[in-house]
Amino acid sequence: MKRSSVFGVVLLFLTLVLCSGFHAWAADPIKIAIVGPMQFTQGEGHWNGATMAAEEINKAGGISVKGTKRTIELIKVDSNEFLSIPDATNAMELAISKHKADFVMGGFRTEAVLVMQDIAMDNKKIFLGCGAAHPELCERVTKDYDRYKYWFRITPINSKHLVAVDFILLDMVAKAITKELDIPKLKVAIVAEKAAWADPMVKIAEGKLPQMGMEVVGVWRPSPTATDTTAELSAIQRAGAHIIFTTFSSSVGIPLAKQAGELKIPAAVAGINVESQKDGFWKATGGKGDYGLTVNTYARVKITDKTIPFFDKYLERYKEAPNYNAGTYDGLYLLKTAVEKAETLEADKLVPVLEKTEVTETAGKLVFTKDHDVTWGPGFVTAIGTQWQDGKNLCVWPNGWQGVKYEGTVEYKVPPVMVEHYKKKK
Amino acid sequence: MIQEIIINGLINGSIYALLAIGFSLIFGVARLVNIAHTALYMTAAYFILIGLDYWGMSAPLAALLAIVITTMLGLICYQLVIKPIREHEGAVLIATIALAMAIQEIFLIGFGGHYLGVPPAATGYLFLAGVKVAKQHLLALGVSVLALVGTWALLLKTRIGLGIRCTAQDREVANLMGINVNREIMMALGISVAMAAVAGVIVAPLRVIDPHMWMEPLIMMLAIVVLGGLGSIKGSFIASYILGFTEALVVFALPMGAFLKVTVALSIMILALLIRPEGLFGVVFEEER
């Protein structure tokens, strides 16, 4: 063998040894599965929020576990939970068994998340919920702590608190209308999609609105996927409603807003309308959804020091505002803090640390309740109320509620079509 | 309240009639149960969106393009998927379900599960018999009526229509009489898909465009054609308005049960079938055998 060939072989051998050596020295990444309906806005929010946080954390060196910096490796898992609960089950199995995820994050539809939660608990995997609001998910922690202690909800706030915010917003709208139009007794049309989560909301509203000094002129329950609400709107207008109190999580929120705008129904649309939280709502309604008000999580206001930078960066990168599923961003930072404090990835050791961890992230101060739910209230996560005003989804609440007002919050505006209608009447 | 029910019922009924008559036509002529019919309606809705948003076209041009592309697509699908198995009704049924799902998945991949919309061609509203009606709804009603009248004239007043009707009446005899049955079926399919496309185009500015928008009208359309009598165009026309008015009536009479409008419509269909199994204007099954 020529001397040059021997030299080449030795060089190749050394290169291989060095490469494999470097691989051995580098710590394994921490695998985090982001499970959500990836073909839909909600799943995109999950993935986008997590991606931004993971990139930032990795750029800063990763998560320090016992002095070793470990990067984050995200695994995108499509749960397809809008269309199939079994698909969601398979997705969670896949994330844990095949991808060997250290943590799971995401979920949106309660029915799917309940099943996914069970699989994660069977495998003792920490599951940070970022999408489903149902109380049952956290009540399970109280009922059977040893089994469900690995579950924590990051976003949104519990649906019981969502209801509270919903009525606070309604009260704010009622006061604004009374002040501007001097209507002695406001009439409210309750319009709620026919879904299990909305049933208790309707019952509460029917009881609470008269106590708030308002008259319920009717309850309409369109299908969550209804594509035409003209008949409902004709009936609502005939009933003389001043406020259309919405409870929508599905697509029906778009035709209602669009058609109410097209028909210039002289009523304020307020309540929960998940579709109107998204930037795409403006285009989907052709701008007819203007002045609609909804409970929301993100807007360009200073909830904390981190909110506006996050909002701007998200908007610049994805060309839309973050939805509440992008709370995976907060979830990853929370996890980083807890892991660095616990110095381990072991779920059983991490759970008590997570329970005590307090971090201020983009949606507010994250502190968990006894049942591992995100704490709601002044000083914690409050949620916000956003109103579309001339094509911008602006924060209008909290605006002094319990002493809370986020910088950038604007006043709620009574829809001009309503002002015009009632001032003309006088 | 009666005016509102009449106006809303008329608008609902006309859009359903466009879909149901197209479906009935191709069933009557070729005995094809085309489940992908409403998926093609969705295709037209997406293409008007593409024309307006991505290609910057004017609304009439985008609408025309959507109708032409959808019709071409329907004919291509027929040639590739349905024609080879045309004589096997069960296979056609399954193949068209698969086709509809494939179309859904294509749009899901292309546009995601986002709810999209297109701006109305006519904005604002008018008072009609004291009822506020959006101009776009009136436009939809006008176009539906025009399309229905056009189809009626085509089928009853032209030689093309005569050929299609002969084929529908008795395909074998029509073939023996020298009518090119395959061509007539293609013609009928073209008209059928074009009607679905027109429905998609006029509905797009009124409703929400998403990859699952074909399912709800499919249920209503099947209910209408069964109620009217399978293959009967007259039956489909009348049944469309029966169910259109029923939907409006349910919302006004039973606001808490507004979500039941489809269920009530289906219950009427079942009730009618119990009394008259062949549907309102269908061929008695025994006679057909």
Side-chain angles (χ1 to χ4, degrees):
Chain A
M1 198 182 273
K2 284 182 179 174
R3 188 180 287 179
S4 60
S5 302
V6 174
F7 181 72
V9 170
V10 170
L11 196 67
L12 183 69
F13 178 75
L14 279 172
T15 310
L16 286 171
V17 168
L18 279 171
C19 285
S20 58
F22 275 131
H23 179 75
W25 296 336
D28 287 336
I30 298 170
K31 288 185 173 183
I32 301 172
I34 307 299
V35 187
M38 296 300 171
Q39 302 283 357
F40 295 82
T41 308
Q42 289 79 5
E44 285 174 4
H46 284 138
W47 182 249
N48 295 345
T51 302
M52 272 175 61
E55 284 176 4
E56 286 170 13
I57 293 168
N58 286 346
K59 204 176 166 186
I63 297 176
S64 175
V65 188
K66 279 187 185 168
T68 309
K69 286 277 190 184
R70 293 178 65 176
T71 55
I72 294 170
E73 182 188 326
L74 293 182
I75 305 154
K76 190 179 196 175
V77 186
D78 187 357
S79 62
N80 195 31
E81 59 200 80
F82 275 118
L83 308 178
S84 161
I85 304 289
D87 280 5
T89 315
N90 293 339
M92 187 55 92
E93 288 283 7
L94 195 76
I96 295 171
S97 309
K98 190 190 165 199
H99 297 299
K100 311 278 180 215
D102 296 302
F103 304 99
V104 280
M105 209 179 275
F108 177 72
R109 199 176 146 196
T110 299
E111 295 90 326
V113 179
L114 282 165
V115 186
M116 290 198 281
Q117 191 189 37
D118 273 322
I119 297 167
M121 300 306 114
D122 286 343
N123 290 280
K124 298 186 188 301
K125 285 284 168 203
I126 288 180
F127 182 7
L128 302 181
C130 298
H134 204 285
E136 174 66 18
L137 288 160
C138 292
E139 283 165 8
R140 282 176 157 191
V141 179
T142 314
K143 284 178 201 161
D144 189 351
Y145 179 81
D146 287 336
R147 176 171 166 71
Y148 290 102
K149 65 183 176 187
Y150 309 102
W151 160 266
F152 292 85
R153 173 158 42 216
I154 309 283
T155 180
I157 55 170
N158 190 312
S159 58
K160 285 177 188 168
H161 305 315
L162 280 174
V163 175
V165 175
D166 207 14
F167 283 103
I168 294 170
L169 291 182
L170 184 68
D171 186 53
M172 177 184 78
V173 172
K175 280 179 181 151
I177 294 173
T178 309
K179 190 179 164 193
E180 190 152 350
L181 301 173
D182 197 25
I183 297 168
K185 187 158 182 137
L186 291 174
K187 294 178 181 175
V188 183
I190 300 170
V191 191
E193 66 186 25
K194 185 58 192 168
W197 77 276
D199 293 345
M201 303 275 284
V202 171
K203 268 192 184 167
I204 297 167
E206 280 182 296
K208 200 167 168 66
L209 291 180
Q211 291 170 14
M212 291 165 75
M214 292 180 251
E215 181 192 341
V216 178
V217 291
V219 179
W220 284 265
R221 304 295 305 271
S223 151
T225 54
T227 51
D228 190 2
T229 55
T230 318
E232 283 88 342
L233 286 167
S234 297
I236 288 166
Q237 190 169 7
R238 172 171 274 272
H242 302 106
I243 298 172
I244 300 174
F245 187 43
T246 57
T247 306
F248 297 144
S249 71
S250 302
S251 60
V252 63
I254 296 175
L256 184 117
K258 188 177 183 175
Q259 290 164 349
E262 193 68 52
L263 294 171
K264 296 194 173 174
I265 304 286
V269 181
I272 297 174
N273 185 356
V274 172
E275 283 305 314
S276 88
Q277 296 173 352
K278 305 173 191 169
D279 275 5
F281 176 77
W282 185 255
K283 196 152 181 276
T285 61
K288 302 291 176 194
D290 215 4
Y291 300 102
L293 171 73
T294 184
V295 179
N296 208 336
T297 301
Y298 289 116
R300 200 180 183 282
V301 282
K302 195 177 171 183
I303 298 173
T304 70
D305 290 339
K306 293 179 179 175
T307 316
I308 292 178
F310 164 70
F311 189 94
D312 287 348
K313 199 173 166 190
Y314 192 102
L315 189 66
E316 192 192 342
R317 182 164 176 178
Y318 301 111
K319 309 295 172 215
E320 64 174 9
N323 58 37
Y324 66 86
N325 302 283
T328 45
Y329 182 89
D330 286 357
L332 272 185
Y333 274 103
L334 170 82
L335 205 57
K336 178 182 185 293
T337 308
V339 167
E340 287 181 347
K341 210 187 282 177
E343 297 189 320
T344 177
L345 300 183
E346 276 180 54
D348 283 307
K349 289 180 182 163
L350 255 175
V351 167
V353 178
L354 274 167
E355 284 170 344
K356 287 174 198 146
T357 299
E358 291 186 10
V359 284
T360 300
E361 298 299 339
T362 63
K365 187 177 174 186
L366 287 176
V367 179
F368 291 109
T369 60
K370 273 186 183 170
D371 55 0
H372 293 187
D373 206 346
V374 59
T375 307
W376 173 74
F380 298 98
V381 173
T382 58
I384 57 173
T386 56
Q387 185 188 27
W388 282 95
Q389 292 182 7
D390 300 321
K392 284 180 183 164
N393 204 12
L394 304 175
C395 177
V396 293
W397 183 89
N399 194 357
W401 169 78
Q402 305 262 340
V404 183
K405 181 176 178 173
Y406 302 129
E407 201 180 304
T409 303
V410 299
E411 288 295 319
Y412 171 79
K413 275 188 188 170
V414 177
V417 64
M418 199 179 173
V419 177
E420 197 183 316
H421 178 84
Y422 284 98
K423 287 204 167 156
K424 217 185 257 179
K425 254 186 162 182
K426 284 178 187 172
Chain B
M1 189 163 92
I2 292 168
Q3 305 95 294
E4 275 112 336
I5 293 170
I6 292 171
I7 288 165
N8 284 300
L10 263 178
I11 294 166
N12 290 343
S14 301
I15 293 166
Y16 286 143
L18 265 182
L19 279 173
I21 289 173
F23 184 86
S24 265
L25 181 68
I26 196 61
F27 180 80
V29 175
R31 291 291 182 271
L32 292 181
V33 180
N34 182 14
I35 299 294
H37 194 69
T38 51
L40 291 165
Y41 143 93
M42 172 175 77
T43 305
Y46 268 105
F47 270 104
I48 193 169
L49 174 88
I50 294 168
L52 289 171
D53 276 14
Y54 294 82
W55 297 337
M57 291 174 163
S58 63
L61 193 64
L64 188 70
L65 183 89
I67 295 167
V68 171
I69 291 179
T70 307
T71 309
M72 297 291 289
L73 188 74
L75 293 174
I76 292 168
C77 288
Y78 171 76
Q79 285 290 347
L80 295 179
V81 183
I82 303 169
K83 199 178 172 189
I85 51 167
R86 198 177 73 194
E87 301 307 323
H88 309 282
E89 287 180 15
V92 169
L93 182 77
I94 293 164
T96 54
I97 293 173
L99 193 60
M101 298 299 290
I103 293 172
Q104 174 192 291
E105 293 305 314
I106 288 168
F107 286 118
L108 190 60
I109 292 166
F111 292 87
H114 303 284
Y115 299 120
L116 306 168
V118 296
T123 54
Y125 62 89
L126 287 175
F127 278 102
L128 211 68
V131 180
K132 254 186 191 178
V133 186
K135 285 181 186 168
Q136 184 65 31
H137 269 110
L138 286 176
L139 185 69
L141 179 64
V143 174
S144 300
V145 172
L146 263 178
L148 291 171
V149 171
T151 310
W152 172 80
L154 183 73
L155 290 176
L156 294 183
K157 306 285 177 189
T158 64
R159 283 185 68 82
I160 297 170
L162 188 66
I164 291 172
R165 281 188 291 131
C166 287
T167 311
Q169 220 164 42
D170 197 320
R171 205 189 318 168
E172 281 168 19
V173 174
N175 198 17
L176 290 170
M177 300 298 282
I179 293 172
N180 185 343
V181 170
N182 279 334
R183 196 191 62 195
E184 298 307 327
I185 291 175
M186 283 291 280
M187 293 291 288
L189 188 85
I191 297 168
S192 164
V193 177
M195 289 179 82
V198 171
V201 161
I202 61 172
V203 151
L206 298 172
R207 299 180 182 176
V208 178
I209 302 173
D210 78 283
H212 307 104
M213 66 179 281
W214 63 283
M215 288 184 179
E216 201 184 318
L218 174 71
I219 296 166
M220 286 303 285
M221 186 189 70
L222 291 175
I224 287 164
V225 294
V226 173
L227 176 64
L230 271 171
S232 165
I233 291 178
K234 183 170 70 175
S236 293
F237 183 78
I238 293 170
S240 296
Y241 287 99
I242 292 175
L243 296 195
F245 284 118
T246 306
E247 271 196 12
L249 187 68
V250 169
V251 174
F252 280 90
L254 204 68
M256 275 288 273
F259 64 95
L260 289 171
K261 59 187 179 187
V262 177
T263 315
V264 172
L266 293 176
S267 305
I268 288 175
M269 177 198 79
I270 292 167
L271 199 68
L273 289 182
L274 286 174
I275 301 163
R276 206 177 146 77
E278 65 275 22
L280 297 177
F281 295 92
V283 181
V284 176
F285 295 147
E286 280 73 19
E287 272 180 29
E288 201 179 33
R289 283 189 209 119

